[in-house]
Amino acid sequence: MNLKHGLIGTVAALAVLQPVAHAAEEWPARSVRMIIPFPPGGSNDIIGRMMGMQLSERLGRPVVIDNRAGAGGNLGIEIAARSNTDGYTLLIISAAYAFAPSMYQKLPYDPVKSFVHVAKIGNGPNVVSVFPGLPVKTAKELIALAKAKPGQINFASAGVGSSVHLASELFKSMAAIDIVHIPFKGGFPAMVDVIAGNSQIVIGTVVQALPQIKAGKLRALGVASKRRLAALPDVPTIDESGLPGYEASNWWGMMYPVGTPRRIVDRIDKELASILTLPEVTKRFAADGAEPDHMTGADFAKFIAVETAKWTRVVKEAGIKPQ
């Protein structure tokens, strides 16, 4: 009788374990959510949707974009940090992630411990653009105008602590000018405000601004990189245009909530590494004024630590107050 009960127990245990193992082998069994902590139209959204489309094809399941804007990206990041660790919630981050520790006195997540780093995706230099009606064509002319009209020229940003904000504050600090910050909930609304002429300056990624520059809705004064870009060959660097040494770029990467199974993290990293070598993807990056730059999770974590230290110095030197 005991032997019989023992055999029945063993069979029952195997019956329970088999579906669990089977389910683990079949990930993903449903759609994957990708949280983008900024609104549609910004560089995070553009890059995220491009990666999402490619991942959908490779995973055989839809990657559903979930824009969760607010608090300089921290709202969406918090939602991701509190999500299930089953591999069905990805988070795309940008340089704003490295700004947050110095910009906010208390974060609703731990920037080091709340996430496992999946991979870095790419880099995107910023471009200093202005309302076309502003009578300036170079950074030197913009600085001169701002000095002649202190406190009368506005710069729009994607929100306090965003990459657009800090890139603008760095420009303001290095140029020693008095321009007024107008924050929005995302890079695209900020850009729209400059196109309308309500604000006069926006320093966003080329990825986001390029269509508006080509359409003549924004005037590009210079790219904030060490060299000119193939996407804007006639636009000088800001260093050439009148502010020597100015450089500010955005970057993008993917994270999972800590506790996500390693095999799933590694699978996404592997897929991203492959996606970033595809000719159509590298061509799209180049056309948008950006470049793919794959880093594995460990290297990406080190990169973020260096970036965080760098921008912490910028925040202090520019006199930006933590929120």
Side-chain angles (χ1 to χ4, degrees), residues 47-59:
I47 297 298
R49 288 178 185 274
M50 177 169 61
M51 292 297 102
M53 181 181 68
Q54 293 290 341
L55 282 173
S56 292
E57 294 180 3
R58 289 167 176 265
L59 298 177

Side-chain angles (χ1 to χ4, degrees), residues 78-95:
E78 179 185 6
I79 292 171
R82 296 178 182 277
S83 296
N84 291 333
T85 58
D86 53 9
Y88 289 98
T89 300
L90 266 168
L91 169 70
I92 184 166
I93 63 166
S94 62

Side-chain angles (χ1 to χ4, degrees), residues 56 67 90 99 103 111 113-114 125 155-156 181 216 251 260 265 287 308:
S56 292
N67 294 91
L90 266 168
F99 307 157
M103 287 301 307
K113 299 179 180 179
S114 292
F155 70 91
H181 179 208
W251 48 261
T260 300
V265 175
T308 300

Side-chain angles (χ1 to χ4, degrees), residues 68 143 189:
R68 295 297 186 100
I143 293 168

Side-chain angles (χ1 to χ4, degrees), residues 140-182:
K140 185 176 181 179
E141 291 178 355
L142 174 61
I143 293 168
L145 180 63
K147 287 186 175 181
K149 297 183 176 182
Q152 297 181 46
I153 295 176
N154 301 332
F155 70 91
S157 87
V160 175
S162 67
S163 61
V164 181
H165 179 205
L166 264 68
S168 303
E169 290 287 0
L170 178 60
F171 184 91
K172 174 182 176 180
S173 177
M174 289 181 65
I177 54 178
D178 179 14
I179 52 179
V180 180
H181 179 208
I182 308 296

